[in-house]
Amino acid sequence: MVVSKQTIWFGRRINRVDGVEKMDLDRLQTFLKVVQYGSFQQVAAREYRSQRTVSKQMTQLENELKVTLFDRGQNRIQLTPQVAAREYRSQRTVSKQMTQLENELKVTLFDRGQNRIQLTPQGRLFWASAQDIVNNYMTALTELRQFNVPTDQILRVGYFSAFEQRLLLPALYDLKQQHSELQLVVRQGSNEHLAQQVADGSLDLALSINYGRPAVTPESQLTAVPIYHNQMVIGVSRLNPLSRLSQLPPSALATLPILYYSPESSTFLLESFLASAPFIQNYEQIRRVPSAEQMHLLVALNQALAFYPAGLVPTEHDEQVAYLPITDAAQQGYDIVALLKSNRSRPLIAKLVQRLKANAKSDE
């Protein structure tokens, strides 16, 4: 998500994101609590703040703004226990926030019963998105506040699927052993987002894939350093008679949906799979799933076939899934590459690339 013309109001409000009018994060957090507790009144009763919490928040705010907001003298502003105890939200306030949120979204989120509210179908859909927004926001804040060290001791790394853990984890672990003071930020995202984050400097390195198409275009400012090469294979349930074959003919791929895994919607990955499988006539047959666990479950139960990167999947003792090469494997080679900014050189990044290559070579 590209943020433009953003104004953060005490860490709460974003005025404009990708051209969309302001959305109050506090309303999203309240929305999640309403879903959790099932009534406006329950949220109001639970959302109180103690005097100590209010005072601590004001101190944190002053530290963030680097200004003194209060003179804390005997005759100056002080929060009394009575004032702090009244720092809660009324039921009317919570209800008003939810109505404002519904007006912003132009949908009805709740069916308002006499004693309990329930989510509408649109509300259930938005609930998952709201959780993601709040979680991503809080993750970003945690990352920002985590580091109080020199920049050369921070390494920010991205990866696009759980399969790269076999390469990435040992490399980062070795690096952390050698540099105990090293602080790490590790993010997962789509190939498109990772490439953009390396380009804008918010990531130092990201793992991506060359499969059917290059990870970056020739005119890109990024360099793609080859790390690991192998073949893409198809996972087939052992409940399926096809699993007894040594190779999978392309015609057999028409029997079930074909899945690929990406944590976010990714045009890049979809186009990569389509480019590498020209024998697939029905493009709608290829579908994305948001987790490797979900993909493997569906394959094991013979609900789908799936693309798997050979060498990055522990295939030896899998009793539910067979991993078969496609008969015409000429176009099934893939490369895991490290995306780097062409003009960026740091010893830690170079060491990480060396370790990634060394671990990849030992796996071949």
Side-chain angles (χ1 to χ4, degrees), residues 131-166:
Q131 284 185 312
D132 288 342
I133 293 170
V134 172
N135 290 341
N136 290 339
Y137 175 83
M138 298 309 297
T139 298
L141 283 185
T142 300
E143 289 180 0
L144 287 172
R145 293 168 179 168
Q146 182 179 1
F147 303 113
N148 188 22
V149 296
T151 305
D152 60 357
Q153 295 302 325
I154 301 174
L155 195 58
R156 299 161 299 177
V157 181
Y159 67 102
F160 68 94
S161 83
F163 300 124
E164 293 86 71
Q165 177 177 313
R166 189 160 182 170

Side-chain angles (χ1 to χ4, degrees), residues 297-350:
L297 179 68
L298 292 172
V299 171
L301 296 177
N302 200 27
Q303 303 300 299
L305 307 172
F307 291 98
Y308 285 88
L312 300 182
V313 181
T315 61
E316 297 83 4
H317 305 293
D318 196 323
E319 297 179 356
Q320 289 85 34
V321 176
Y323 301 90
L324 305 178
I326 299 174
T327 301
D328 181 11
Q331 294 180 304
Q332 299 311 308
Y334 74 86
D335 291 285
I336 299 298
V337 297
L339 300 184
L340 308 168
K341 214 166 184 179
S342 303
N343 60 355
R344 190 161 189 169
S345 177
R346 284 176 52 199
L348 277 176
I349 300 176

Side-chain angles (χ1 to χ4, degrees), residues 4 34 39 41 51 75 103-104 110 114 118 159 162 167 181 206 214 228 233-234 239 257 276 292 297 302 313 329:
S4 61
V34 170
S39 78
Q41 188 172 9
Q51 178 181 351
N75 300 319
N103 290 339
E104 286 182 5
F110 299 101
Q114 200 168 29
Q118 292 184 332
Y159 67 102
L167 300 173
E181 73 285 359
Y228 180 74
V233 294
I234 299 294
L239 299 173
S276 298
L297 179 68
N302 200 27
V313 181

Side-chain angles (χ1 to χ4, degrees), residues 82-334:
Q82 292 81 8
V83 172
R86 294 298 294 176
E87 274 293 310
Y88 63 87
R89 304 177 193 180
S90 68
Q91 178 180 352
R92 181 178 180 184
T93 299
V94 175
S95 179
K96 182 178 179 181
Q97 282 188 322
M98 293 302 95
T99 300
Q100 290 172 333
L101 182 58
E102 289 177 319
N103 290 339
E104 286 182 5
L105 298 173
K106 294 181 175 60
V107 297
T108 301
L109 297 173
F110 299 101
D111 287 325
R112 292 163 169 82
Q114 200 168 29
N115 299 316
R116 185 171 178 83
I117 61 171
Q118 292 184 332
L119 286 171
T120 64
Q122 296 94 328
R124 284 193 294 271
L125 179 64
F126 182 67
W127 174 61
S129 299
Q131 284 185 312
D132 288 342
I133 293 170
V134 172
N135 290 341
N136 290 339
Y137 175 83
M138 298 309 297
T139 298
L141 283 185
T142 300
E143 289 180 0
L144 287 172
R145 293 168 179 168
Q146 182 179 1
F147 303 113
N148 188 22
V149 296
T151 305
D152 60 357
Q153 295 302 325
I154 301 174
L155 195 58
R156 299 161 299 177
V157 181
Y159 67 102
F160 68 94
S161 83
F163 300 124
E164 293 86 71
Q165 177 177 313
R166 189 160 182 170
L167 300 173
L168 186 59
L169 178 56
L172 291 177
Y173 187 86
D174 291 347
L175 208 59
K176 185 71 174 176
Q177 276 189 317
Q178 186 176 352
H179 302 274
S180 58
E181 73 285 359
L182 177 64
Q183 300 286 348
L184 293 170
V185 173
V186 183
R187 299 176 187 161
Q188 183 179 15
S190 68
N191 297 70
E192 296 93 328
H193 284 170
L194 293 175
Q196 180 59 47
Q197 288 170 5
V198 174
D200 65 25
S202 57
L203 285 178
D204 298 307
L205 177 150
L207 293 182
S208 187
I209 188 170
N210 289 341
Y211 176 57
R213 54 171 292 187
V216 293
T217 59
E219 58 272 14
S220 171
Q221 60 178 311
L222 302 182
T223 299
V225 180
I227 300 294
Y228 180 74
H229 175 81
N230 213 314
Q231 297 286 314
M232 200 67 69
V233 294
I234 299 294
V236 184
S237 171
R238 296 193 186 276
L239 299 173
N240 192 322
L242 292 172
S243 66
R244 303 187 188 101
L245 300 176
S246 59
Q247 293 184 327
L248 201 63
S251 59
L253 298 179
T255 59
L256 288 169
I258 304 175
L259 307 180
Y260 70 94
Y261 155 55
S262 176
E264 302 176 312
S265 295
S266 174
T267 303
F268 171 85
L269 274 181
L270 177 59
E271 291 177 351
S272 296
F273 286 114
L274 290 175
S276 298
F279 42 78
I280 296 178
Q281 302 300 316
N282 183 7
Y283 290 173
E284 294 184 358
Q285 187 184 355
I286 299 182
R287 303 173 189 172
R288 180 185 77 91
V289 289
S291 74
E293 295 82 2
Q294 182 184 5
M295 182 176 82
H296 199 68
L297 179 68
L298 292 172
V299 171
L301 296 177
N302 200 27
Q303 303 300 299
L305 307 172
F307 291 98
Y308 285 88
L312 300 182
V313 181
T315 61
E316 297 83 4
H317 305 293
D318 196 323
E319 297 179 356
Q320 289 85 34
V321 176
Y323 301 90
L324 305 178
I326 299 174
T327 301
D328 181 11
Q331 294 180 304
Q332 299 311 308
Y334 74 86

